[in-house]
Amino acid sequence: MKSYRKELWFKTPQRRGYINITSQVRDCLVASGIREGLCLVNAMHITASVFINDDEHGLHQDFEAWLEGLAPHQPLSRYQHNRTGEDNGDAHLKRCIMGREVVVTVTEGDLDFGPWEQIFYGEFDGRRNKRVLVKIIGD
Amino acid sequence: MKSYRKELWFKTPQRRGYINITSQVRDCLVASGIREGLCLVNAMHITASVFINDDEHGLHQDFEAWLEGLAPHQPLSRYQHNRTGEDNGDAHLKRCIMGREVVVTVTEGDLDFGPWEQIFYGEFDGRRNKRVLVKIIGD
Amino acid sequence: MKSYRKELWFKTPQRRGYINITSQVRDCLVASGIREGLCLVNAMHITASVFINDDEHGLHQDFEAWLEGLAPHQPLSRYQHNRTGEDNGDAHLKRCIMGREVVVTVTEGDLDFGPWEQIFYGEFDGRRNKRVLVKIIGD
């Protein structure tokens, strides 16, 4: 069994943002030389997500409005977590909705996707350098 | 390391529906000949889910009402995504709640489940043929 | 390819609770002798979660209030599932938000985590013995 590991770094200019990381994950897969197996992609930070959905700008605006409705950033006093001096209580909850990780099938040396599947990094507490971990195992 | 891949096809008669796919996944496992490993089951479409929960009809009605409350289908104008001509903005959000995929332990040639675990395909934009991917790796 | 399997048992004193299980999962990894691979940790019950987030008490209070807002326990008549004689309809929904499982990278014999990642068992229908499954595959 082969294994491959790489960290990807991201810094969003605003507090929240969505970045299509599919091509970077595919680059990892090519570098790994793995043809059949599984590829795990996870946020290494607990106020960010990795998820699979559509690369459509209107949908990303829908994510933003919907998540802000389910777990509003303001008022900061809404969250006990913010009593620690943080202001990212909402980001911890938004990340629960969108998920920490995806596991993708590797078949014949490529990401084995349906027609519209794209991998996104979802940032809910950005403006600083944060990491995504890619681990691929297989043959 | 062995690997096995199969696509399962589903078409729900209504826009939304829940289908127990456990026996079909188990058939894949038997066909694979794999005794120890991991089994990934994921929706290949971004308006559908694969998740594990109870096969109880009342609960599925609860899912339906709850998801419709969290991300209503109507009015279509609620979602920027629908400006593309789609009417499935809600389906993209419902799928975020229920998840894209499950990873199941394979032990002694069977799905290694707790007492009530069953695998479901959750459809939020149906009435057309859509796919689920099963990938099993192990020995 | 090596594989390792262990069940962990938990009983929370109240209906809902969050338990940091990171050290128990790490003990499994040491016992497995696996250096490179993937570690799946999943709730074996459908009214509980395994998730990764911060070990901060205020945040856990935020989870509690937020999940209770999204899927209230009372009134029991709110959920069709409770007509079966159960009172845990809300727990099935809360678990959907928080997720069934996590998959963690194993690198150089350790859980390959970002700075604050900790694994939690999230219980939404406790006061009885329930199980978490740990499965590790790799070399």
Side-chain angles (χ1 to χ4, degrees):
Chain A
M1 195 200 77
K2 288 187 202 175
S3 71
Y4 175 91
R5 176 194 193 275
K6 186 163 185 183
E7 294 178 6
L8 308 175
W9 288 82
F10 301 99
K11 181 179 180 178
T12 61
Q14 281 152 343
R15 181 179 292 274
R16 292 188 290 276
Y18 305 100
I19 301 171
N20 187 334
I21 65 173
T22 312
S23 66
Q24 290 175 74
V25 176
R26 190 171 277 119
D27 290 346
C28 291
L29 181 52
V30 170
S32 76
I34 292 172
R35 302 281 302 166
E36 298 291 327
L38 295 178
C39 174
L40 170 67
V41 189
N42 69 267
M44 299 185 76
H45 299 258
I46 52 193
T47 51
S49 287
V50 171
F51 64 92
I52 287 176
N53 218 304
D54 195 358
D55 195 355
E56 197 279 300
H57 181 64
L59 179 64
H60 300 175
Q61 293 179 284
D62 293 332
F63 286 148
E64 170 62 16
W66 182 62
L67 292 170
E68 192 60 17
L70 292 176
H73 179 62
Q74 296 278 3
L76 296 184
S77 61
R78 179 184 177 109
Y79 303 105
Q80 301 288 313
H81 181 58
N82 290 340
R83 296 191 184 183
T84 62
E86 299 277 2
D87 65 355
N88 62 8
D90 66 306
H92 288 271
L93 305 186
K94 286 170 170 129
R95 115 72 167 253
C96 293
I97 296 281
M98 299 305 281
R100 168 187 179 260
E101 77 210 16
V102 296
V103 182
V104 179
T105 288
V106 174
T107 301
E108 297 181 3
D110 201 2
L111 302 171
D112 194 341
F113 272 155
W116 300 101
E117 289 191 285
Q118 296 283 303
I119 308 174
F120 287 89
Y121 177 65
E123 176 63 85
F124 308 113
D125 184 30
R127 301 177 294 192
R128 54 197 172 101
N129 293 313
K130 294 168 77 173
R131 285 177 290 163
V132 164
L133 180 60
V134 180
K135 184 86 172 193
I136 308 168
I137 68 168
D139 280 337
Chain B
M1 196 201 77
K2 289 187 201 174
S3 70
Y4 175 92
R5 178 194 192 274
K6 186 164 186 184
E7 294 179 6
L8 308 176
W9 288 82
F10 301 99
K11 182 178 180 178
T12 61
Q14 281 152 343
R15 182 179 292 273
R16 292 187 290 275
Y18 304 101
I19 301 171
N20 187 333
I21 65 174
T22 312
S23 66
Q24 290 176 73
V25 175
R26 191 171 276 120
D27 289 347
C28 291
L29 181 52
V30 170
S32 76
I34 292 172
R35 303 281 302 167
E36 297 291 328
L38 296 177
C39 174
L40 169 68
V41 189
N42 70 266
M44 298 185 77
H45 298 258
I46 53 192
T47 51
S49 287
V50 171
F51 64 92
I52 287 176
N53 217 304
D54 195 359
D55 195 356
E56 197 280 300
H57 181 64
L59 179 64
H60 300 176
Q61 293 179 283
D62 293 333
F63 286 148
E64 170 62 17
W66 183 62
L67 292 170
E68 193 60 17
L70 291 176
H73 179 62
Q74 297 279 3
L76 297 183
S77 61
R78 180 185 177 106
Y79 303 106
Q80 301 289 312
H81 181 59
N82 290 340
R83 295 190 184 183
T84 62
E86 299 277 1
D87 66 354
N88 62 9
D90 66 307
H92 288 271
L93 304 186
K94 286 171 170 127
R95 115 72 168 253
C96 293
I97 297 281
M98 299 304 281
R100 167 187 180 259
E101 76 210 17
V102 296
V103 182
V104 180
T105 289
V106 174
T107 302
E108 297 182 3
D110 200 2
L111 301 171
D112 194 341
F113 272 155
W116 300 102
E117 289 190 286
Q118 297 282 303
I119 308 174
F120 287 88
Y121 176 66
E123 176 64 84
F124 308 114
D125 184 30
R127 299 178 295 191
R128 54 198 172 98
N129 294 313
K130 293 169 78 173
R131 284 177 290 163
V132 164
L133 180 59
V134 180
K135 184 87 172 193
I136 309 168
I137 67 166
D139 282 337
Chain C
M1 195 200 78
K2 289 187 202 175
S3 70
Y4 174 91
R5 176 193 193 275
K6 185 163 185 184
E7 294 179 5
L8 308 175
W9 288 82
F10 301 99
K11 181 178 180 178
T12 61
Q14 281 151 344
R15 181 178 293 274
R16 292 187 290 275
Y18 304 100
I19 301 172
N20 187 334
I21 65 173
T22 311
S23 67
Q24 291 176 72
V25 175
R26 190 171 277 120
D27 290 345
C28 291
L29 181 52
V30 170
S32 77
I34 292 172
R35 302 282 302 167
E36 296 292 327
L38 296 177
C39 174
L40 169 67
V41 188
N42 69 268
M44 298 185 77
H45 299 258
I46 52 191
T47 51
S49 287
V50 171
F51 64 92
I52 286 176
N53 218 304
D54 195 359
D55 196 356
E56 197 279 300
H57 180 64
L59 180 64
H60 299 175
Q61 293 178 285
D62 293 332
F63 287 148
E64 171 62 16
W66 183 62
L67 292 170
E68 192 60 18
L70 291 176
H73 179 62
Q74 297 279 3
L76 297 183
S77 62
R78 180 184 176 107
Y79 303 105
Q80 301 288 314
H81 181 59
N82 290 340
R83 295 191 183 183
T84 62
E86 299 277 1
D87 66 354
N88 61 9
D90 66 308
H92 287 272
L93 305 185
K94 286 171 170 130
R95 115 74 167 251
C96 293
I97 297 282
M98 299 304 282
R100 167 187 180 259
E101 77 211 15
V102 296
V103 181
V104 180
T105 289
V106 174
T107 302
E108 297 182 4
D110 201 2
L111 301 171
D112 194 340
F113 272 155
W116 300 102
E117 289 191 285
Q118 296 283 303
I119 309 173
F120 287 89
Y121 177 66
E123 176 63 85
F124 308 114
D125 183 30
R127 300 178 295 191
R128 54 198 172 98
N129 293 313
K130 294 168 77 173
R131 283 178 290 164
V132 164
L133 181 59
V134 180
K135 184 87 172 191
I136 309 167
I137 69 168
D139 281 336

